[in-house]
Amino acid sequence: GTLDLGEAKYLMRTPGEFRTPDELQGLVVKQGPTGAVYLRDIATIRDGFKDLDTISRVDGRPAVTLTVAKRSGENIIRIADEVHEILGELREELPGGVDVVVTWDESDWIREMVSELENNILSGLILVLAVIFVFLGLMNALFVALAIPISMLITLAVVYMSGVTLNMVVLFSLILALGMLVDNGIVVVENIYRHIQSGMGRVEAAKKGASEVAWPIISSTMTTIAAFAPLFFWPGIFGDYMYYLPMTVCVALLASLFVGLIVNPALASVLMSTRRKPGRRGASGRHPFLEGYARLLRVALRWRAVTIVLAFTSLAVITAVFFVNAETEFLPETEPPQAYLDIECPEGTNLETSDRIVRQIEGILERHRADLDFVISNVGSKGIDAGGVSPGRSNTTHLSRVTLDFPELADCEVLPSVVVESVREELRGITGAEVRIGKMDMGPPTGPPINIEVSGDDFDELARLAKDVRRHIKEIPGLVDLEDDLNRGKPEVRVVIDREQAWRTGLNTQFIGLTVKAAINGRKAADFREGDEEYDVTVRFPKEFREDLTNIEDMNLVNLAGQPVPFSTVARIEQGAGLGSIQRIDRRRTVTVSADVAAGRLAPEVLADVRERMESFDLGPGYTVAYTGENEDMEETEAFLGKAFVVAIFLIALVLITQFNSITQPFIIMTSVLLSLAGVFLGLFLFQMPFGILMTGVGCISLAGVVVNNAIVLIDFINQLRARGASVDEAIVEAGVTRFRPVMLTAITTILGLVPMALGVSYDFREFRWIVGGESSQWWGSMAVAVIFGLAFATLLTLIIVPTLYSCMASLSAAGRRDPAASEPAQEALVK
């Protein structure tokens, strides 16, 4: 046998006793009639290491992976900085040929994400301020612009006090709210400025200007908050992930309302210029552009039926064009910072065989080294993922993982997704193992895109069904990495003991089992300590003995009386497979068949093909199939967002009814929500984006609260003018012209705040360079596009359709108050 001492240099430190392995060989093991038996006569003593059960390499070089994970609530950036500082000191002490490299640093990814979002905020802020300066002048723009830093400061203070960290969702929420923060200020300052231009004093203008629009902007803020309110009740992991969106936006809007009603009028009453602004005016004293809008509005009021039909026809046409070839996705497709190649050999494969296959894969990856930062191989385990934890069973010789670490997206000459698909094709020639490719994605975790659960009672029948299901669907285009979770058990060697015979010879099952274990795996005889280190002292047979089972059958066992007992008289050895684990879902035995979706096809499309193919599959009585994983998450999210949209519409309508004390006027305003959907579909069509259940769905709900704001301000001023004695048409035209500038400004500022995110283009204010693309724009881009185009389309139509519908409702109301005979002229006017 062999006595392994690990890395021990001394066996004992007690004076006079054996202290080194060489001295240990002279130890007397037994004193017999022929003399002493020394340890060197029956064993070889070696100072070495345990047998390898895992192998790690980085870029082909042997390596040891260390993972540093932060405690909950700690700052990962601070910890990463301290680790890098320690590594810098350690590198100076390392021997030649040994190096320390950081293959994954989550703080770098977080820094990049935060920097990108910050740049989007600053880029959007500059665009917003530029538009305000152009339309309102320098001083008035400064009044409005104050809403941004003050509202942001209040929002961040509330976020901090609530214990929320500055995460990706909070930062995007600030971008979404950026353009809306100035909406209230624009309406108030523009109205005060208009009164000052008409000759009113600053204080009086501030009072009247703020009071005229106070209730409309309160209502518009409440409608936006009402749209986001249902998202607070989003259940599950996606609710936990998106909770920060409604919280941040609602706090920011309330802060901007405070600035608009309190801070802006106070500053305007003291600092606003009283000089009249020169400029070109038409015959009516208006800007030529506004005169053109007034003429267009009068034409629409003259041809009301045509105007309304054209608007809703455009909605129908855009919707039909989009949904003819519309694609649907659950989560946005993003470029992964890392990808994983999981290699699974047959159960029982030894480490050397697994390593040979991994080296073959490393050879294939060598062709893509220019597009990779690191290639990290873990043979015999699935290693450590980006989160710092092992994603599966460790120290299992038939499992391996190769991790591909990509450069930052801006530095990639070839996109990671292209590299992944190229590697997938090249790995098809690998035999002797199943290779599956996974990607590190943004957002909350979901199940596999294709996840089929087959449930029943008989385990063997489930195993057969799982195999048949895989064979039945494997040819579907876009279906890759097909696998099941059936654990059939590892090959094993069983020692079957004749208990009666063992009892007769003075042996028991425990002693026989320990002897066999010691013969094959070795047995720990003692611990050896040297300073702070501890080493195992292991006794076992030589390698050539352990690898031949016939040697085990031929060996002798020694009973308590010291008599030798042949192993074959009390036990026999059998080879077979062990029992695999059994998965149960809802108390039923279940085998899950899962797969990924290749680039070029969306998961819902592939799942639809799978469902269609499975309709012809005969499960047999007592067996059922369920489609879960990402599909289950998508259906739950879709159901919740549908309900949330209905509740948001109801809450918005409730606020509007309270504001206007009317049913018809809220109905007019709510048409802008319907028209905004045409803008959403148009934007997705132009950008060739699929309809995202999560991102586009949340964008539509957000849009419902935003698009009604301009209609509220417009209709409220029409009501004010009619209360002063103006006719319906005069009030509509005058209100449209007067509110045109604030309506356009509030829409443009909200749109411009989201443009950098939608286009993925921003300016890096630290390194003074343009950035094209980015991780966050891939994730949030579809929502930004939905809000931008929905708001733009709704705003343009709001300036025409809302006044036209108001005119129609006024005519119907007037006709209802007359007798039937007198209502005919009104009906003729309505047709026009």
Side-chain angles (χ1 to χ4, degrees), residues 667-684:
F667 171 77
I668 296 170
I669 295 173
M670 295 300 289
T671 58
S672 58
V673 177
L674 184 63
L675 294 174
S676 70
L677 296 178
V680 173
F681 301 145
L682 179 62
L684 296 177

Side-chain angles (χ1 to χ4, degrees), residues 117 120-121 167-178 242 245 248-249 695 698 702 754 757-758 776 779-781 783-784 787:
L117 291 168
N120 283 328
I121 290 177
N167 55 52
M168 182 176 68
V169 182
V170 171
L171 288 171
F172 173 77
S173 303
L174 293 176
I175 296 175
L176 180 63
L178 176 63
M242 298 297 291
L245 177 67
T248 306
V249 172
M695 289 302 172
V698 174
S702 307
L754 290 169
M757 179 64 73
S776 61
W779 181 250
W780 300 103
M783 186 189 294
V787 175

Side-chain angles (χ1 to χ4, degrees), residues 382-393:
K382 288 193 175 181
I384 305 296
D385 64 12
V389 296
S390 174
R393 295 168 292 175

Side-chain angles (χ1 to χ4, degrees), residues 510-530:
Q510 182 182 15
F511 179 80
I512 297 173
L514 290 175
T515 303
V516 174
K517 180 179 179 181
I520 298 176
N521 292 338
R523 182 176 179 182
K524 182 178 176 181
D527 290 322
F528 171 72
R529 292 182 177 86
E530 180 182 22

Side-chain angles (χ1 to χ4, degrees), residues 184 213-227 253 257 261 651-661 669 704-706 708-713 716:
N184 294 331
V213 296
W215 281 113
I217 66 173
I218 290 174
S219 297
S220 63
T221 302
M222 290 300 106
T223 55
T224 308
I225 291 176
L253 291 176
L257 182 63
L261 290 180
L651 294 176
I652 292 170
L654 195 62
V655 173
L656 295 177
I657 292 172
T658 304
Q659 162 69 14
F660 293 102
N661 195 25
I669 295 173
V706 176
V708 299
N709 296 345
N710 292 330
I712 292 173
V713 174
D716 180 79

